[in-house]
């Protein structure tokens, strides 16, 4: 299955930030492109273009400024860096560290190249992953300087998708997830917002398909990870094999949910100053269901109650 990923970032990029991507290519892939760019359009400024070339066993780096590619491009041959051959159809990991003058790129745990920053970091507002992509499992944006956020990182790679952010959320923030559920129609998926650096879930949002057709909302009540009483009202707005857009509004006192343009439900925060200890979300799939995540967009409304947030979940509204 061929897919793409695009996402508007949660906050401006700065020195000391780290991007973390986990991507699986299709079988017989030729290349995968990862771009840090100004928006989702074809005319976007691209401050960092990474093209992972399977046949040539190299990573091409470039930038696109004022409508044209910079010349010459830079090429990193992985064999010359002592790397094993990259194979299509497999999962790989890319880290990008933003320094004061360069992007430093690591591939599968080894530093392989650096690329000069050719424009203001404020131009970077979007990430895209395109070409021969089978699945994007991780699109994290973190901060390492002047202090790490998230504060702790676990080695748990059992999740289906993750999206960390480099600073705490504030009221008025909206997260828009575009995805397609497929696979076993008797499965489900779980969106988890966790307390920074722990497995304690501040939100457990769990659509369960056949035979339940219910969306369970819950959270952990104790450090022992005991759940509270479930909330199940609101019906079931998801359909197997059909794309949905889920908007999650982070208001002052509660999560707000909208699906495909319609308000769905809410879930009240259970801890004091909860947004300050949330650092993004994880998605897990259960019982053979799969979820093709094609976009995660962050938008700050400036309205603490997230008034009108549901419009961002409408299928015809493009977030560029």
């Amino acid at each position: 299955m061929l897919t793409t990923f695009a996402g508007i970032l949660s906050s401006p990029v700065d020195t000391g930030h780290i991007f973390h991507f986990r991507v699986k290519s299709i079988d017989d892939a030729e290349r995968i492109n990862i771009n840090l760019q100004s928006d989702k359009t074809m005319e976007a400024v691209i401050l960092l273009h990474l093209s992972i070339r399977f046949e040539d066993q190299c990573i091409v780096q470039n930038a696109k400024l004022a409508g044209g590619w910079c010349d010459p491009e830079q090429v990193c041959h992985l064999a010359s860096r002592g790397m094993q051959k990259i194979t299509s159809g497999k999962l790989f990991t890319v880290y990008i560290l933003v320094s004061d003058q360069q992007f430093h790129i690591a591939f599968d745990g080894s530093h392989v190249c650096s690329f000069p920053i050719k424009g203001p970091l404020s131009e970077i507002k979007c990430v895209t992953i395109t070409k021969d992509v089978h699945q994007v499992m991780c699109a994290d944006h973190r901060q390492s300087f002047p202090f790490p956020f998230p504060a702790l990182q676990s080695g748990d790679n059992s999740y289906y998708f993750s999206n960390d952010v480099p600073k705490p959320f504030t009221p008025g923030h909206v997260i828009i997830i575009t995805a397609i559920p497929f696979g076993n129609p008797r499965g489900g998926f779980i969106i988890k917002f966790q307390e920074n650096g722990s497995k304690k879930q501040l939100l457990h949002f769990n659509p369960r398909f056949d035979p339940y057709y219910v969306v369970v909302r819950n959270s952990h009540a104790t450090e022992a990870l005991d759940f509270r009483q479930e909330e199940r009202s609101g019906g079931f707005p998801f359909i197997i094999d059909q794309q949905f857009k889920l908007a999650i509004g982070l208001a002052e006192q509660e999560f707000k949910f909208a699906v495909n343009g319609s308000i769905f439900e809410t879930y009240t925060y259970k801890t004091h100053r909860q947004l300050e200890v949330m650092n993004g979300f994880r998605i897990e799939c259960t019982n053979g269901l799969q979820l093709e995540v094609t976009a995660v967009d962050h938008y700050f409304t400036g309205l603490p109650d997230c008034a009108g947030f549901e419009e961002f979940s409408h299928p015809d509204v493009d977030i560029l």
Side-chain angles (χ1 to χ4, degrees), residues 8 38-41 126 318-320:
I8 302 297
S38 59
D39 56 50
K40 295 182 182 179
T41 68
C126 177
D318 293 325
I319 302 169
L320 299 177

Side-chain angles (χ1 to χ4, degrees), residues 4 12 130 137 160 177 191 204 218 241:
T4 61
T130 59
M137 298 187 66
Y160 197 82
I177 302 170
I191 300 175
H204 178 97
N218 211 333
D241 294 325

Side-chain angles (χ1 to χ4, degrees), residues 17-295:
H17 283 196
I18 295 176
F19 291 92
H20 174 206
F21 303 108
R22 296 176 69 221
V23 183
K24 185 178 180 181
S25 67
I26 62 172
D27 294 334
D28 300 320
E30 295 181 1
R31 68 180 63 181
I32 287 180
N33 293 341
I34 299 175
N35 292 337
L36 304 184
Q37 57 192 68
S38 59
D39 56 50
K40 295 182 182 179
T41 68
M42 296 294 293
E43 297 76 29
V45 170
I46 302 174
L47 281 196
L48 180 63
H49 166 79
L50 296 180
S51 184
I52 298 159
R53 311 281 177 89
F54 292 86
E55 183 176 352
D56 298 328
Q57 292 293 296
C58 70
I59 299 178
V60 174
Q61 311 125 68
N62 209 338
K64 186 179 181 182
L65 308 173
W69 292 102
C70 295
D71 189 32
E73 63 187 15
Q74 295 186 13
V75 181
C76 170
H77 293 281
L78 296 177
S80 67
R81 300 286 181 173
M83 300 286 294
Q84 293 184 348
K85 182 178 179 180
I86 55 174
T87 305
S88 63
K90 303 294 184 180
L91 187 70
F92 64 83
T93 301
V94 172
Y95 281 95
I96 302 170
L97 170 64
V98 183
S99 71
D100 54 349
Q101 296 183 330
Q102 293 185 310
F103 298 105
H104 299 285
I105 297 102
F107 185 86
D108 279 349
S110 298
H111 179 263
V112 293
C113 55
S114 298
F115 186 77
I117 299 173
K118 297 179 179 289
L121 293 175
S122 59
E123 291 273 19
I124 303 175
K125 299 177 182 177
C126 177
V127 167
T128 63
I129 305 175
T130 59
K131 296 298 184 182
D132 299 327
V133 180
H134 173 70
Q135 181 183 1
V136 175
M137 298 187 66
C138 174
D140 289 339
H141 176 197
R142 301 172 181 154
Q143 175 178 270
S144 63
F145 178 84
F147 58 87
F149 190 88
L152 295 174
Q153 295 300 320
S154 68
D156 181 14
N157 290 331
S158 63
Y159 52 83
Y160 197 82
F161 179 84
S162 75
N163 186 248
D164 282 342
V165 297
K167 66 178 185 179
F169 293 110
T170 55
H173 193 113
V174 180
I175 303 168
I176 306 98
I177 302 170
T178 305
I180 302 171
F182 66 99
N184 185 2
R186 298 179 69 85
F189 65 91
I190 307 168
I191 300 175
K192 301 178 179 181
F193 285 81
Q194 293 167 287
E195 191 171 293
N196 188 27
S198 76
K199 293 185 177 181
K200 183 178 180 181
Q201 296 180 45
L202 302 173
L203 173 67
H204 178 97
F205 184 91
N206 179 200
R208 301 175 185 176
F209 289 79
D210 184 35
Y212 306 103
Y213 297 108
V214 64
V215 180
V216 172
R217 284 93 60 201
N218 211 333
S219 58
H220 286 144
T222 68
E223 299 303 323
L225 309 184
D226 299 315
F227 276 109
R228 305 174 192 272
Q229 183 69 35
E230 292 180 347
E231 296 183 14
R232 292 176 166 230
S233 59
F236 194 77
F238 302 98
I239 301 174
I240 198 78
D241 294 325
Q242 291 192 21
Q243 178 176 282
F244 66 82
K245 287 179 70 176
L246 167 66
I248 304 175
L250 307 181
E252 291 181 293
Q253 303 295 330
E254 62 186 359
F255 295 97
K256 294 185 173 183
F257 309 103
V259 180
N260 295 338
S262 298
I263 292 177
F264 172 59
E265 266 293 350
T266 63
Y267 187 76
T268 304
Y269 301 150
K270 307 303 182 184
T271 61
H272 181 57
R273 302 175 72 175
Q274 180 167 309
L275 293 183
E276 296 182 14
V277 295
M278 285 172 25
N279 53 264
F281 65 89
R282 302 281 188 273
I283 297 178
E284 293 185 11
C285 294
T286 60
N287 199 27
L289 185 97
Q290 298 184 60
L291 198 66
E292 179 187 350
V293 180
T294 60

